[in-house]
Amino acid sequence: RAKATNRGGYVLFEDSIRRELEKRLTLEAELALAAERDEFELFYQPQLRLADGRLMGAEALIRWRHPERGLVSPAEFMPIVNTSPISERIADWVLQTACAKGAAWERAGHKLRIGVNLSPSQLESGGLAISVAQALASTGLSPTSLELEVTEDILLHDEQEALNTFLEIQELGVRLVFDDFGTGFASLSYLKKFPLDGLKIDRSFVLGLLTNPDDAAIVSSTIGLSKQLGLSVIAEGIEDRDTADFLVRMGCEEGQGYCFGKPMPAHDFEAKFLTAPAAAEVA
Ligand code: C2E
Ligand code: MG
Ligand code: MG
Ligand code: MG
């Protein structure tokens, strides 16, 4: 009907869909080539214990070193990756690479967790627990040093399948945390349904902590909730010292944000955060 009554509009619409599709296919092909050419890289962002600033972990965050465009952020390409056939391949690479780096740091005597963001395809394929076990076995990383981050959209797909996979993963000793907590539609019901070890308070609530009483109430309640449920809690997106201090007063254990360090290449992370003699850190 649209065709008959508004021929011009229909054609325009069709053109814009075609353009979108072409753009997508180009990007998909570029991403496959990028994987081929080893253009992806993991950056690491420190996670600190807020009370004393001790390094507790590092979240691995993917970057694309594009030959012409330079460093491309995951927001620009992960949505495409996640719905394309190369998704599993990239997700496997992320898991393997992060575990290998974590194992190397562990061997050097540093005690820290490695956080890895899961992709939807990893739960859809049903083989995630096996991939995780393989990554641990091949790299030698301690299971308890690995922390997998899941967002709500990943859980939406098939709850029963996700639940089974999570139980298998926890059997391995690997931690599971709820990423971007509070931004989805059903965060609370997921807390009840899934065997999670901790939650990460989304940075949208942390940003306005000092100025917006609603944000402060939400963050403070989330910290209380995590304690009552026996979950660990970390605040994301801490950009200044005052916010960090406020979070300490609210009882938040850990924090992550530009205030402590932006995501950075592994060698920069090592130079900045892993310089203390390993022996001193173990003691
Ligand atoms: P996320 O997992 O919630 O990661 C936290 C994001 O917040 C990162 O963005 C980080 O750079 C940013 N961030 C950290 N502290 C601050 C701060 O103080 N201020 C501000 N403004 N931002 C801060 P990034 O690296 O661009 O990643 C964006 C998202 O892309 C991630 O959100 C995650 O959902 C996804 N992602 C990144 N790497 C991977 C990956 O290897 N695999 C998968 N599946 N997803 C990934
Ligand atoms: Mg994350
Ligand atoms: Mg997050
Ligand atoms: Mg996020």
Side-chain angles (χ1 to χ4, degrees):
R1 184 181 301 270
K3 197 174 186 173
T5 53
N6 189 2
R7 170 95 199 146
Y10 180 79
V11 171
L12 259 179
F13 181 59
E14 202 179 47
D15 276 354
S16 83
I17 287 185
R18 185 180 304 118
R19 271 197 306 275
E20 273 308 305
L21 198 66
E22 276 166 2
K23 220 169 93 187
R24 196 201 147 88
L25 289 175
T26 309
L27 190 52
E28 260 190 35
E30 273 191 298
L31 285 163
L33 204 60
E36 213 62 69
R37 293 177 175 167
D38 231 7
E39 289 172 2
F40 295 110
E41 183 176 335
L42 291 184
F43 275 27
Y44 296 87
Q45 187 179 31
Q47 300 178 327
L48 306 185
R49 188 159 67 195
L50 290 173
D52 60 2
R54 186 196 163 103
L55 179 74
M56 304 301 285
E59 178 175 4
L61 294 155
I62 197 169
R63 299 289 182 269
W64 177 10
R65 267 195 206 279
H66 192 283
E68 286 119 41
R69 278 190 278 157
L71 216 54
V72 186
S73 101
E76 285 182 53
F77 63 91
M78 283 313 277
I80 305 286
V81 165
N82 284 340
T83 53
S84 88
I86 52 163
S87 175
E88 267 204 84
R89 174 173 170 189
I90 292 177
D92 269 343
W93 174 85
V94 168
L95 182 63
Q96 189 70 33
T97 306
C99 286
K101 190 54 76 186
W105 291 340
E106 211 168 62
R107 280 195 298 275
H110 302 289
K111 187 91 201 87
L112 77 163
R113 302 180 312 256
I114 298 296
V116 175
N117 293 285
L118 290 184
S119 295
S121 66
Q122 290 174 294
L123 274 175
E124 284 158 24
S125 69
L128 179 60
I130 292 173
S131 302
V132 171
Q134 275 168 354
L136 292 171
S138 69
T139 60
L141 180 68
S142 307
T144 50
S145 298
L146 180 61
E147 185 167 274
L148 300 177
E149 301 191 1
V150 291
T151 48
E152 209 172 306
D153 53 319
I154 288 182
L155 300 173
L156 280 174
H157 183 70
D158 181 346
E159 290 188 6
Q160 192 55 49
E161 174 79 35
L163 181 57
N164 292 339
T165 302
F166 286 1
L167 291 170
E168 284 169 32
I169 285 171
Q170 282 181 322
E171 194 80 3
L172 299 169
V174 171
R175 287 171 50 84
L176 277 169
V177 297
F178 200 148
D179 200 358
D180 302 345
F181 183 80
T183 57
F185 292 108
S187 298
L188 288 177
S189 78
Y190 284 126
L191 271 192
K192 187 175 162 178
K193 268 181 215 155
F194 294 101
L196 297 155
D197 299 293
L199 50 87
K200 303 188 71 177
I201 302 176
D202 191 69
R203 79 162 187 268
S204 60
F205 304 112
V206 175
L207 214 63
L209 206 53
L210 299 174
T211 49
N212 185 331
D214 291 346
D215 284 338
I218 290 168
V219 170
S220 158
S221 310
T222 305
I223 293 165
L225 178 70
S226 72
K227 297 216 157 132
Q228 299 215 11
L229 294 174
L231 304 171
S232 67
V233 62
I234 179 166
E236 294 189 286
I238 305 175
E239 295 192 353
D240 55 80
R241 199 56 246 179
D242 289 347
T243 301
D245 291 342
F246 192 36
L247 283 160
V248 173
R249 288 202 296 281
M250 290 200 283
C252 188
E253 296 156 19
E254 290 186 32
Q256 176 180 349
Y258 293 173
C259 169
F260 310 117
K262 289 191 173 184
M264 60 191 90
H267 61 267
D268 291 348
F269 185 86
E270 288 160 6
K272 245 186 131 158
F273 294 96
L274 303 178
T275 46
E281 223 167 281
V282 171

